[in-house]
Amino acid sequence: MPELPEVETVRRGVSEQVLNVPIKRIDVRYSKMINGNVDEFKNILTGQKIIKIDRRGKYLLFRFSNNYTMISHLRMEGKYLVESHTEPIEKHSHVIFELADGRDLRYNDTRKFGRMQVVKTDDEMLLPGIKKLGPEPLSADFTVDDFYQRLQKKKKMIKPALLDQTVVAGLGNIYVDEVLWMSKIHPQTPANHLTKTEVRELHDNIIKELKLSIEAQGTTVFTFKTAFNHAGEFQKQLHVYRKTGEPCERCQTPIERIVVGQRGTHICPKEQRVK
């Protein structure tokens, strides 16, 4: 699933290419991708311009010129591509926004898990999936004190706690494995057992890792592509994720794969120990 750096990369790439270009027509080829009435979805957005694209956690928020916002979640394999209208439409392109300048903004999703919904701008913050989100990890709201207090309330293991979007928004399996390794914290450690010092280091490593990944245009492990149809580059900088059997960069102990909360998890068994 695209995580915060991948979704931010998509946001920047799409913004660079389609802002302020009128939408001539919308072709919805898989109706279940739209939450709500498909005809209403098309009627509200046809003829409008995307004037800005925001992001909240893993959600993309397309701001339209008529004061409506399209909320888009990429789920497992969703991606947006900008292509010439004359280019053949790939079979997994399920929602196509035909632009007035001869290009298309195409939403492509192999698994068809992605969803879109249109609401009045600002009403998106009332939707259950968004209003419960924790702080953005790259914002001033993500403070050590608040992060520590949120973790103190969690008896669950730290990995599931970090995957809980109400604690901090945008983290998924890849970056949780990475930041826990960076912080020398075992993913099965109860979240409320972490000291303030450990939480501070974890907090700082989350910010550091996400910034580096955004600079590298995200991580492509399976199918992630940018809006320019390029793979991300951050997979070349991963320390532990999917490195089973390879030596830990710090101590040379072979990386192990375990299961935590039903998720494949990668650790250094020497440096990451359960408290």
Side-chain angles (χ1 to χ4, degrees):
M1 176 185 292
E3 303 179 31
L4 187 152
E6 291 74 51
V7 178
E8 177 63 17
T9 297
V10 171
R11 184 194 72 79
R12 294 181 182 189
V14 176
S15 296
E16 189 175 328
Q17 298 179 81
V18 305
L19 294 189
N20 298 309
V21 181
I23 293 173
K24 183 178 178 181
R25 179 174 171 271
I26 301 173
D27 182 8
V28 177
R29 300 189 166 202
Y30 182 66
S31 61
K32 291 182 180 179
M33 205 149 274
I34 309 301
N35 289 337
N37 184 278
V38 174
D39 289 335
E40 183 177 358
F41 175 90
K42 293 194 288 187
N43 288 338
I44 289 173
L45 301 184
T46 299
Q48 304 301 318
K49 302 175 183 178
I50 301 169
I51 58 173
K52 184 181 180 184
I53 305 174
D54 292 323
R55 180 191 52 74
R56 181 70 174 98
K58 300 178 187 179
Y59 292 88
L60 288 168
L61 306 174
F62 290 75
R63 311 297 192 182
F64 282 83
S65 49
N66 58 351
N67 204 35
Y68 276 88
T69 291
M70 183 183 80
I71 304 160
S72 174
H73 199 298
L74 305 178
R75 298 290 175 89
M76 294 296 291
E77 296 191 2
K79 58 181 71 72
Y80 282 94
L81 302 172
V82 180
E83 300 176 307
S84 169
H85 184 64
T86 60
E87 283 290 315
I89 297 174
E90 206 269 339
K91 68 177 181 178
H92 297 299
S93 290
H94 303 300
V95 182
I96 300 160
F97 300 86
E98 183 181 344
L99 305 176
D101 63 3
R103 297 176 301 149
D104 291 343
L105 174 62
R106 299 177 180 179
Y107 178 74
N108 185 286
D109 193 335
T110 304
R111 298 196 184 187
K112 299 182 177 179
F113 289 164
R115 293 294 181 267
M116 302 175 189
Q117 181 176 351
V118 171
V119 298
K120 277 284 192 179
T121 295
D122 294 334
D123 285 356
E124 72 276 1
M125 297 307 173
L126 303 176
L127 297 179
I130 293 181
K131 74 177 183 179
K132 294 181 180 179
L133 289 175
E136 286 288 322
L138 300 181
S139 75
D141 294 334
F142 185 52
T143 66
V144 174
D145 288 342
D146 180 69
F147 189 38
Y148 178 71
Q149 291 303 319
R150 288 173 184 268
L151 292 178
Q152 283 293 296
K153 297 174 183 177
K154 300 293 183 181
K155 296 181 181 179
K156 65 175 72 172
M157 297 177 288
I158 184 59
K159 177 162 184 176
L162 292 176
L163 292 173
D164 180 346
Q165 300 298 293
T166 68
V167 173
V168 58
L171 294 179
N173 208 40
I174 295 174
Y175 298 107
V176 169
D177 279 8
E178 290 290 300
V179 298
L180 289 176
W181 176 85
M182 293 168 69
S183 307
K184 298 183 180 181
I185 296 171
H186 195 285
Q188 292 177 323
T189 302
N192 59 2
H193 286 195
L194 296 181
T195 66
K196 186 74 170 288
T197 299
E198 289 172 321
V199 170
R200 182 182 302 278
E201 183 172 6
L202 179 59
H203 167 275
D204 293 348
N205 282 331
I206 289 171
I207 295 172
K208 176 183 177 182
E209 191 77 344
L210 294 180
K211 284 183 176 180
L212 287 173
S213 184
I214 291 171
E215 288 176 9
Q217 297 193 312
T219 300
T220 297
V221 175
F222 299 108
T223 61
F224 170 71
K225 293 288 185 68
T226 72
F228 295 95
N229 205 22
H230 301 149
E233 296 288 336
F234 195 65
Q235 62 274 10
K236 299 174 184 177
Q237 301 181 49
L238 296 177
H239 305 288
V240 65
Y241 182 76
R242 293 178 65 85
K243 301 281 188 180
T244 306
E246 297 183 26
C248 171
E249 294 176 14
R250 291 189 295 245
C251 71
Q252 306 307 304
T253 302
I255 299 299
E256 290 184 359
R257 182 186 185 278
I258 62 175
V259 177
V260 179
Q262 300 181 320
R263 305 295 294 273
T265 301
H266 305 82
I267 65 166
C268 171
K270 180 179 178 181
E271 295 190 332
Q272 292 171 267
R273 296 182 178 274
V274 181
K275 291 182 63 176

